[in-house]
Amino acid sequence: MPDIYYVNGRFTDPENAVVSVEDRGFLFGDGVYEVLRAYGRHIFRIDEHLDRLSRSLNAININFLAFSELKNLSYEALKRSGYDDALIYIQITRGVAKRSHVPPKDMHPTVVIIVYKTPVLPVDLFIKGAKAILYPDIRWSKCYIKSLQLLPNTLALSQASAESSIEAIMHRNGIVTECGSSNVFIVKDKQVKTHPADETILHGVSRKTVLEILQNQGMTVSENEFTIEELLESDEVFITNTLVEVMPITQIDDKPVSDGNPGQITLMLMEEWTNQRDVLFGRSKA
Ligand SMILES: Cc1ncc(COP(=O)(O)O)c(C=O)c1O
């Protein structure tokens, strides 16, 4: 079964899935994106992803309104792939124009959709937990926009990979913000904490899913800033994103988190996420 490529109104093969070198996404990183996940041919929280896409587009003044068409196209692309479980990448750029910092007014956005088979992550990362590194948050001040400009994130994640780590936990002025491609939570004395959803982090759909699960369990969550010291002294650390869902972090740089094993709340969240997904999408447990 093939990965599926869609560019500006056309489903095509990868060789013909091309955009102009004068696309502002290529020249300026002038665009935004989303990564969605399908389970059993249903796209998880698609409306929330499209809402965030809309907020990102508005924030950089790209005029795009065809969200119901985009929703249909995402399902059409998924169907064409034949994959039950898939990652759906959507990218919208401002479009093609002669290179100039100031874009012309009458631009037509470039729309790209790619459907990939969901990669299988090593099960040990979930059973034993994963390693992360600390890394300075060198990004701009509008990280709630899911911008194509991912150089700081790719530098952070490349460094993490060089140190055999799954993530880079980023910090600014001693405060932990989020990771290169995920949100981060800590647990201390059964109190869960994560950075507030302000302009300095991406408002993760998975972050919100976890907050809802915790609230449904009657647990309080503190959406407040926390320091690197609090991170390193916490009982549990976990990350969330569309691909990993919930993943325990059991080592940060050379230091184990607590006793170096995934904690109870993290394990509960991993189980609860799987249960909800299976109930929602009629998916049998692996
Ligand atoms: C910087 C960053 N933070 C958080 C997330 C998690 O977002 P979501 O849960 O919507 O996948 C991502 C996902 O790509 C990300 O790139």
Side-chain angles (χ1 to χ4, degrees):
M1 278 181 282
D3 292 345
I4 291 292
Y5 297 80
Y6 167 94
V7 183
N8 281 341
R10 232 163 43 96
F11 284 98
T12 181
D13 47 66
E15 292 73 32
N16 292 307
V18 290
V19 294
S20 163
V21 289
E22 288 193 315
D23 193 282
R24 290 182 61 94
F26 179 69
L27 292 176
F28 294 103
D30 187 358
V32 296
Y33 74 105
E34 276 296 322
V35 180
L36 301 83
R37 180 146 177 198
Y39 299 101
R41 299 190 189 190
H42 295 269
I43 303 177
F44 187 65
R45 298 196 172 210
I46 184 167
D47 292 330
E48 285 178 39
H49 280 282
L50 295 183
D51 276 355
R52 184 171 65 189
L53 185 61
S54 167
R55 290 196 299 276
S56 295
L57 288 163
N58 282 334
I60 62 167
N61 306 316
I62 290 183
N63 191 12
F64 177 88
L65 297 169
F67 288 100
S68 62
E69 196 186 328
L70 195 57
K71 187 170 177 174
N72 292 339
L73 279 171
S74 303
Y75 270 106
E76 170 69 19
L78 178 63
K79 198 169 146 203
R80 283 176 185 244
S81 76
Y83 299 144
D84 286 341
D85 291 5
L87 290 180
I88 300 155
Y89 177 80
I90 301 176
Q91 172 172 312
I92 301 184
T93 74
R94 199 175 303 277
V96 178
K98 194 172 165 64
R99 188 181 183 281
S100 158
H101 283 71
V102 181
K105 288 213 165 47
D106 57 339
M107 295 213 57
H108 302 288
T110 300
V111 179
V112 169
I113 302 175
I114 309 174
V115 179
Y116 302 105
K117 194 170 178 54
T118 310
V120 179
L121 299 170
V123 72
D124 264 6
L125 291 174
F126 297 93
I127 294 174
K128 295 184 180 155
K131 182 184 169 198
I133 60 164
L134 285 169
Y135 196 87
D137 193 339
I138 54 172
R139 300 173 302 162
W140 69 332
S141 56
K142 292 193 177 185
C143 297
Y144 70 99
I145 301 171
K146 205 160 165 57
S147 152
L148 294 181
Q149 301 184 357
L150 289 172
L151 210 41
N153 308 58
T154 56
L155 287 174
L157 282 159
S158 300
Q159 185 61 35
S161 173
E163 296 185 40
S164 307
S165 298
I166 197 81
E167 257 299 8
I169 303 178
M170 301 192 289
H171 53 87
R172 188 182 278 137
N173 302 325
I175 300 296
V176 175
T177 49
E178 61 175 332
C179 302
S181 63
S182 57
N183 292 112
V184 61
F185 290 68
I186 59 169
V187 184
K188 183 74 181 176
D189 299 331
K190 303 213 180 318
Q191 171 78 43
V192 183
K193 218 181 214 189
T194 194
H195 194 284
D198 60 15
E199 298 213 334
T200 65
I201 67 161
L202 186 78
H203 303 183
V205 172
S206 321
R207 174 187 181 279
K208 187 155 167 261
T209 307
V210 159
L211 292 178
E212 285 172 15
I213 296 175
L214 289 166
Q215 276 144 16
N216 289 340
Q217 302 273 326
M219 298 178 66
T220 54
V221 187
S222 149
E223 289 181 75
N224 282 306
E225 290 182 350
F226 59 89
T227 62
I228 298 175
E229 287 69 35
E230 283 178 271
L231 171 80
L232 297 176
E233 281 160 21
S234 54
D235 301 329
E236 303 180 29
V237 177
F238 62 88
I239 58 169
T240 61
N241 74 18
T242 294
L243 175 61
V244 306
E245 303 166 340
V246 177
M247 182 182 279
I249 297 296
T250 47
Q251 186 181 336
I252 299 173
D253 290 332
D254 293 330
K255 192 177 175 299
V257 174
S258 189
D259 66 358
N261 292 306
Q264 288 307 312
I265 293 179
T266 310
L267 293 172
M268 178 280 286
L269 284 166
M270 289 162 64
E271 194 180 331
E272 205 45 42
W273 186 300
T274 309
N275 289 341
Q276 291 204 5
R277 187 186 67 189
D278 293 341
V279 169
L280 278 174
F281 304 128
R283 196 163 178 266
S284 56
K285 282 184 189 147

